[in-house]
Amino acid sequence: MKVMKRYIRVLLLLPLLACSDWFDVVPDNENIPDKKFFGDENAFYNALVDVYTQLRSTDLYGGNLTLSMLEFMSQDLAPYNTPSSDLSQFRYDTPENSARIATVMQKMYRAIASCNKVLDEITHTDVYFYNAGQKEIITGELYALRGALHFDLLRLFHPSVTQEPDFVGLPYMTQFDTEPSAPQSSSQLLGHILDDLAQAATLLKEYDPILTGWDYTSTSPGQIDNRLRTFFANYYAVTALQARVYLYMGNYEMALERAQETFTHLQNVEASSQLFYYVSPGKYNSDFCFSREHIWGISSMPDGFTALSDTMFATRKIRVRSDLAAVFPDVNDTRFREWFTRQDDGSYTLQHKFGASTLLSGYIYNASGGESDLPARIPVIKLGEVALIAAEALNHDNRPDEAAEWLIELQTSKRSTIVEQLKTEGKLSVETVATAIRDEYQREFWGEGQRFFFHKRMGDSRIASYSGDSIDISNEQYTWPIPAGTLSVNLQ
């Protein structure tokens, strides 16, 4: 393995800028030496921000792990060229897709190495942090990021843990500038992931301002802005990720507990101060990706995720699955009405959800105190998924009536009454609720790269195809091949 260069790519932030300005004024490609950089409180915050900047690249969540690759694997998008056609047939060994998969692994471990570098520096620093709790928040987020990134690597490159818990493949990296750790089993990796998320939750629960909600007071230069906490791996993002991990493991009791903890934000914080909540019909304006439902979403530049969406759906007219109308039997469903654009031939594109027509308002305040709009952001984990986790856990415990209430609340926010009608007609059962949960996974995650993992977790051997038919998928095809050669996370 090559020796990693002793610097990390960091998003530069001017100390006197409002701490929200990095969303739209700072370039993504700056390099600075590490030891000379970590000289004050702001430097650690900037280094944390750099990790998020790495994640929004087209190589990762701004493309390959959402629209560019996983959505073709889940059959939600119809292929338009050879690489996307290969992905839709689960052919990962072609030259182009092999290269993209190797890039995903390298970039993910590079981001993990960045987390490890900053964790090492912040653990041993003698820098004084003027803003109370800021050191703990930054440290907690770094643990959360490290755990979350390893979990997605696990979901991509290891078989389903419920089927092959002893599969040995990837290392869990906790050190910077070392040889890769020995490959570990899926069960071992999950143990480390949960340890990191637990450490993050402990630190963030003590200090994260998301716990008290939106604060209208001004933020001091260099202070973490509580109005922007859903752009970061906040405390509730961690509890939601814990719920996701526990469900993937088949630990329904802990999945439910963590899901319920996530929803305490809606119970403990007044509605006017909540940082995430269900978007009621008529309250989203031009925010077609419903960003207020994102417990954690990654910011994107106008020439990033939004531009990719417009290229795919406005320019290339890439179609979604041909059975869209069957997926949304309730035509009043807000998601169907706002996300999709009908073409002359009767097909649909996912044109508005992440495209230029989507603008996020109310998040950013400039120096004069006014708001500025942001392009659509990349959802990492949403309120709807946590509700589905809770519903599945309750249903697994033979409590379909309670499970249905989580689904009804989700669907009501989207002007859908499907489960409410089942309840009214006395048709709630473990079987009907299980079907309703599966149907909601079909509706809720378009363009987000999550539904493929649902099929993998459920062990589905046949899934709906983009053509309107269905396609066989094996356990092997649910798993990306680990690229040959030595793992390299060279930071350059």
Side-chain angles (χ1 to χ4, degrees):
M1 176 183 174
K2 297 180 181 178
V3 176
M4 288 182 286
K5 297 180 181 179
R6 299 287 298 176
Y7 59 77
I8 63 176
R9 168 176 159 270
V10 176
L11 180 65
L12 293 177
L13 222 81
L14 297 177
L16 296 181
L17 284 177
C19 64
S20 59
D21 288 348
W22 64 272
F23 283 119
D24 51 12
V25 301
V26 183
D28 283 356
N29 300 302
E30 301 291 343
N31 292 288
I32 61 174
D34 60 63
K35 284 294 183 185
K36 294 180 181 179
F37 178 64
F38 293 101
D40 59 25
E41 178 178 355
N42 251 11
F44 287 99
Y45 180 65
N46 296 347
L48 170 67
V49 167
D50 171 67
V51 181
Y52 294 101
T53 305
Q54 293 180 49
L55 301 186
R56 72 186 183 192
S57 76
T58 55
D59 291 328
L60 295 179
Y61 297 94
N64 285 342
L65 298 183
T66 49
L67 289 173
S68 300
M69 294 185 74
L70 287 181
E71 286 298 285
F72 292 101
M73 292 158 54
S74 70
Q75 309 294 308
D76 277 347
L77 300 181
Y80 68 99
N81 60 10
T82 299
S84 60
S85 179
D86 288 333
L87 287 170
S88 71
Q89 298 295 319
F90 318 113
R91 291 193 287 262
Y92 308 132
D93 58 352
T94 62
E96 182 163 345
N97 287 329
S98 293
R100 294 166 77 184
I101 288 170
T103 296
V104 168
M105 172 173 280
Q106 194 273 336
K107 297 291 187 180
M108 290 284 273
Y109 274 112
R110 181 183 185 280
I112 290 168
S114 296
C115 290
N116 289 334
K117 176 58 188 172
V118 187
L119 276 170
D120 182 65
E121 293 289 346
I122 202 168
T123 301
H124 298 100
T125 187
D126 56 4
V127 166
Y128 179 76
F129 283 70
Y130 290 93
N131 293 292
Q134 190 132 315
K135 180 178 180 180
E136 290 79 7
I137 292 172
I138 292 170
T139 306
E141 286 189 47
L142 290 165
Y143 278 115
L145 287 165
R146 189 170 75 183
L149 295 177
H150 276 106
F151 181 61
D152 274 352
L153 284 167
L154 171 74
R155 292 199 294 179
L156 289 164
F157 291 99
H158 278 222
S160 171
V161 67
T162 57
Q163 297 183 10
E164 297 186 53
D166 297 325
F167 176 88
V168 176
L170 298 178
Y172 200 91
M173 300 294 290
T174 60
Q175 306 258 343
F176 179 84
D177 202 9
T178 64
E179 291 295 319
S181 304
Q184 299 194 20
S185 70
S186 296
S187 295
Q188 290 173 317
L189 289 173
L190 285 164
H192 293 306
I193 290 164
L194 288 173
D195 285 345
D196 272 351
L197 292 177
Q199 180 79 346
T202 298
L203 289 164
L204 292 168
K205 189 170 186 178
E206 183 73 21
Y207 297 101
D208 195 337
I210 198 172
L211 293 161
T212 55
W214 188 285
D215 186 351
Y216 293 90
T217 61
S218 60
T219 302
S220 303
Q223 183 181 359
I224 286 177
D225 193 334
N226 74 336
R227 298 167 297 185
L228 304 176
R229 289 304 293 152
T230 57
F231 285 88
F232 296 83
N234 60 77
Y235 170 71
Y236 290 114
V238 173
T239 62
L241 289 168
Q242 288 173 316
R244 177 188 277 177
V245 174
Y246 280 121
L247 187 70
Y248 193 75
M249 297 169 62
N251 188 335
Y252 294 95
E253 181 180 0
M254 284 303 301
L256 175 61
E257 194 275 337
R258 293 287 83 192
Q260 290 172 326
E261 173 69 8
T262 305
F263 267 75
T264 61
H265 180 68
L266 306 184
Q267 300 156 9
N268 297 339
V269 177
E270 293 185 4
S272 61
S273 298
Q274 291 169 0
L275 285 161
F276 59 86
Y277 48 84
Y278 282 124
V279 177
S280 301
K283 292 187 177 181
Y284 49 81
N285 296 320
S286 61
D287 185 358
F288 300 120
C289 71
F290 307 150
S291 67
R292 295 295 180 181
E293 297 183 3
H294 301 174
I295 303 169
W296 171 26
I298 300 171
S299 73
S300 180
M301 305 292 279
D303 60 354
F305 197 55
T306 291
L308 173 63
S309 175
D310 282 340
T311 298
M312 292 179 67
F313 304 119
T315 303
R316 292 177 177 160
K317 304 292 184 183
I318 295 173
R319 269 50 171 177
V320 301
R321 284 167 47 189
S322 61
D323 64 344
L324 183 69
V327 173
F328 287 96
D330 189 340
V331 295
N332 292 317
D333 193 305
T334 308
R335 295 165 294 191
F336 177 74
R337 293 165 64 91
E338 303 299 343
W339 290 350
F340 303 97
T341 301
R342 193 174 190 274
Q343 305 301 306
D344 292 339
D345 62 0
S347 64
Y348 289 86
T349 64
L350 187 67
Q351 192 161 328
H352 292 303
K353 186 176 183 181
F354 300 118
S357 57
T358 289
L359 292 174
L360 316 187
S361 61
Y363 285 104
I364 302 303
Y365 287 76
N366 58 35
S368 62
E371 296 181 5
S372 59
D373 291 333
L374 295 172
R377 66 176 172 182
I378 309 159
V380 178
I381 193 159
K382 307 189 306 184
L383 203 58
E385 180 180 350
V386 179
L388 291 171
I389 291 171
E392 186 174 340
L394 287 164
N395 203 48
H396 183 268
D397 196 32
N398 198 30
R399 297 153 68 183
D401 291 345
E402 295 175 65
E405 294 305 315
W406 289 81
L407 299 177
I408 289 169
E409 184 180 21
L410 167 61
Q411 290 186 345
T412 298
S413 73
K414 304 298 177 290
R415 285 182 172 160
S416 176
T417 61
I418 295 172
V419 178
E420 182 66 48
Q421 290 175 2
L422 290 175
K423 179 181 177 180
T424 300
E425 296 167 3
K427 295 181 180 179
L428 292 179
S429 66
V430 169
E431 292 73 23
T432 60
V433 169
T435 298
I437 292 170
R438 179 175 285 273
D439 289 344
E440 275 303 311
Y441 270 96
Q442 304 272 348
R443 302 183 189 109
E444 181 69 6
F445 300 102
W446 290 87
E448 300 176 24
Q450 292 299 327
R451 197 164 66 81
F452 181 79
F453 294 128
F454 169 77
H455 290 305
K456 180 173 183 174
R457 178 172 63 81
M458 300 301 288
D460 294 334
S461 59
R462 193 164 179 81
I463 64 177
S465 169
Y466 66 86
S467 65
D469 196 359
S470 56
I471 185 172
D472 292 328
I473 179 169
S474 66
N475 291 334
E476 183 180 26
Q477 289 170 324
Y478 276 121
T479 306
W480 278 357
I482 296 175
T486 302
L487 175 66
S488 172
V489 289
N490 189 14
L491 301 186
Q492 58 181 349

